[in-house]
Amino acid sequence: MGDISEGKFSYVDYWEENYSNGGTSGKGSYGVLAQFKGDVINQFIKGKRIHKVIEFGCGDGNQLKYMNYPSYLGMDISPTSIDICSKMFGKDKTKSFLLYNPKYFINNGYFKSDLVVCLDVLYHITNEDDFWKTLDDIFSCKPFYIILYTRVTKPEEFVYGIPTIQDRDILSCLSRYQDYKLIQIIEQKYKELSGASFIILEKV
């Protein structure tokens, strides 16, 4: 599979520059798409009595406003993102934030949670090594549940030519993690606005 990060494009630099120049996490974190994600995840949290949540890719924090996380750690590759979120939620003692770098995140049991979420992130990781390391890090938290909100595509459906998107056969990628089983896929409610759907995994 090609890795467009082998060229001049760096997804890490792209998102840091985006946030440092006043950009947002994109349309997926606002409006009806943000509400859709909030509705699905909040219902799941309530039904499963989730307490501790870790998020890979907290972005500009706007999506977080829609979430009812009892105890939350948000991580992101962009220092500016972490700065924005720490100021936005500075008075909220239920929320913590941490700069994430897949090359230097070593978790041997310290970071654990009931639920890990990763929303609109995986298909934006254009570096292949970072993609697999991020997946490994998500599963390293050994949560009871994992919720991924991403593009569910097969090779014949891959989109090419957009530098910020790297499609993969995500269900095939997830099959390597034998300690988890797929329990539900919730398809996108607003398909004219987003190609992402929910993938929900449960620890075996």
Side-chain angles (χ1 to χ4, degrees), residues 33-152:
L33 289 173
Q35 188 64 60
F36 171 55
K37 283 186 274 186
D39 290 345
V40 170
I41 292 177
N42 288 336
Q43 182 179 6
F44 186 87
I45 287 173
K46 184 177 180 180
K48 300 297 184 181
R49 297 181 179 178
I50 300 295
H51 179 70
K52 188 176 180 182
V53 179
I54 296 176
E55 179 171 24
F56 285 77
C58 54
D60 65 7
N62 196 71
Q63 180 66 71
L64 186 53
K65 296 176 182 177
Y66 292 77
M67 303 303 191
N68 300 328
Y69 296 138
S71 178
Y72 170 87
L73 170 64
M75 297 189 287
D76 203 280
I77 56 169
S78 164
T80 300
S81 161
I82 299 303
D83 187 50
I84 292 170
C85 289
S86 64
K87 291 176 180 176
M88 184 180 297
F89 299 98
K91 295 182 180 180
D92 187 341
K93 299 305 181 183
T94 69
K95 293 179 175 62
S96 301
F97 299 95
L98 182 70
L99 182 64
Y100 172 71
N101 186 324
K103 292 181 176 63
Y104 305 110
F105 184 84
I106 311 299
N107 179 29
N108 289 314
Y110 187 84
F111 290 96
K112 294 181 179 179
S113 65
D114 302 320
L115 170 68
V116 168
V117 298
C118 185
L119 314 176
D120 274 323
V121 169
L122 292 176
Y123 61 90
H124 285 310
I125 303 177
T126 55
N127 179 286
E128 204 66 11
D129 290 339
D130 283 4
F131 167 77
W132 285 108
K133 182 55 166 56
T134 301
L135 270 187
D136 288 345
D137 291 342
I138 287 171
F139 284 88
S140 79
C141 298
K142 300 187 184 304
F144 297 117
Y145 301 97
I146 295 172
I147 296 181
L148 308 176
Y149 179 84
T150 190
R151 291 170 58 83
V152 183

Side-chain angles (χ1 to χ4, degrees), residues 13-26:
D13 292 343
Y14 171 85
W15 287 104
E16 171 57 19
E17 184 176 347
N18 172 71
Y19 293 127
S20 63
N21 288 331
T24 71
S25 292

Side-chain angles (χ1 to χ4, degrees), residues 152-166:
V152 183
T153 52
K154 295 182 178 180
E156 62 270 20
E157 302 168 325
F158 288 1
V159 171
Y160 298 98
I162 303 176
T164 58
I165 293 179
Q166 178 75 55

